[in-house]
Amino acid sequence: SYVLTQPPSVSVAPGQTARITCGGNNIGSKSVHWYQQKPGQAPVLVVSDDSDRPSGIPERFSGSNSGNTATLTITRVEAGDEADYYCQVWDSSSDHVVFGGGTKLTVL
Amino acid sequence: QVQLVQSGAEVKKPGSSVKVSCKAARGTFNSYAITWVRQAPGQGLEWMGGIIPIFATANYAQKFQGRVTITSDESTSTAFMELSSLRSEDTAVYYCARDLTSTVTGPFDFWGQGTMVTVSS
């Protein structure tokens, strides 16, 4: 089955740029979606189809995808961005939705 | 704007079944797919399966094949997820979410509030 690998944690100071990676075999050929989840809340879609931003999501959130790595980039990080972030793809070979293990973003 | 409202928390005995509902309180499912995702305490998101209501066709994660049944009632814009043969490891928050597409692939743009299911003897 298809596996998505994320770093367990990423730390960044306020105002700096956070980059959260999502690794998978030839992930560049798939559409990657990113979700933000704060404690006790349901996930929120922050980036879809590699780099599209849903309505209401700040421009500070962006995504890219190439080769074996997709990246969620958050610029000018704020304290309110502290959350768990998950990448997600659809694996056509198994017809299954796959989530990465999640990355905890800590704002120092 | 679609709002998905899920049924309330459940406490179940090992070996029993649980059925969680997910109603579109505003709007309808229309041609969108609905997916179910669970999250055990302190763990990540785990996809369980999904359904395309207009076709009533469901797709299940291999891990849950034979134990999970996802259905929908278009007349009430409600989707259901039933999990049988419950064990302690099934203790989790269960979410429904709307797929932006008419297939169970993601992305998932609207999520229910989650339903806590506790399996304990």
Side-chain angles (χ1 to χ4, degrees):
Chain A
S1 59
Y2 195 77
V3 176
L4 294 175
T5 302
Q6 297 183 237
S9 63
V10 168
S11 297
V12 65
Q16 298 303 303
T17 297
R19 294 179 179 84
I20 299 172
T21 59
C22 176
N25 184 33
N26 197 26
I27 194 174
S29 67
K30 301 180 183 300
S31 289
V32 180
H33 318 299
W34 291 91
Y35 303 88
Q36 175 195 67
Q37 186 182 33
K38 296 181 179 179
Q41 298 183 19
V44 172
L45 179 68
V46 293
V47 169
S48 64
D49 294 313
D50 298 340
S51 59
D52 291 341
R53 224 176 16 257
S55 172
I57 302 301
E59 290 183 8
R60 300 185 297 105
F61 289 80
S62 63
S64 62
N65 184 19
S66 178
N68 293 318
T69 305
T71 303
L72 173 69
T73 301
I74 310 171
T75 59
R76 302 184 302 280
V77 167
E78 303 172 355
D81 297 330
E82 191 163 277
D84 294 325
Y85 291 84
Y86 296 89
C87 57
Q88 178 254 310
V89 301
W90 174 63
D91 177 30
S92 59
S93 62
S94 62
D95 196 16
H96 277 26
V97 167
V98 180
F99 284 98
T103 298
K104 181 175 181 57
L105 175 66
T106 299
V107 181
L108 301 170
Chain B
Q1 180 156 324
V2 173
Q3 182 182 13
L4 300 178
V5 179
Q6 299 184 220
S7 48
E10 302 261 15
V11 179
K12 293 291 183 180
K13 300 286 189 188
S16 67
S17 299
V18 68
K19 191 170 186 177
V20 181
S21 67
C22 169
K23 181 176 175 58
R26 281 199 294 267
T28 65
F29 291 151
N30 291 326
S31 59
Y32 299 108
I34 295 291
T35 207
W36 288 88
V37 174
R38 78 176 186 181
Q39 186 171 37
Q43 303 300 309
L45 303 176
E46 183 175 33
W47 180 71
M48 300 182 68
I51 190 167
I52 306 170
I54 58 170
F55 299 127
T57 55
N59 178 21
Y60 303 119
Q62 190 166 9
K63 174 177 178 177
F64 299 101
Q65 286 273 3
R67 271 211 311 147
V68 68
T69 303
I70 296 173
T71 56
S72 64
D73 181 346
E74 268 205 289
S75 67
T76 59
S77 293
T78 304
F80 302 91
M81 186 285 300
E82 183 170 22
L83 187 63
S84 62
S85 302
L86 290 170
R87 33 207 188 232
S88 59
E89 309 89 88
D90 294 318
T91 293
V93 176
Y94 290 76
Y95 293 102
C96 64
R98 190 187 79 163
D99 198 310
L100 252 180
T101 72
S102 58
T103 58
V104 184
T105 59
F108 311 119
D109 60 344
F110 289 103
W111 293 67
Q113 83 276 19
T115 296
M116 182 71 210
V117 175
T118 302
V119 182
S120 173
S121 55

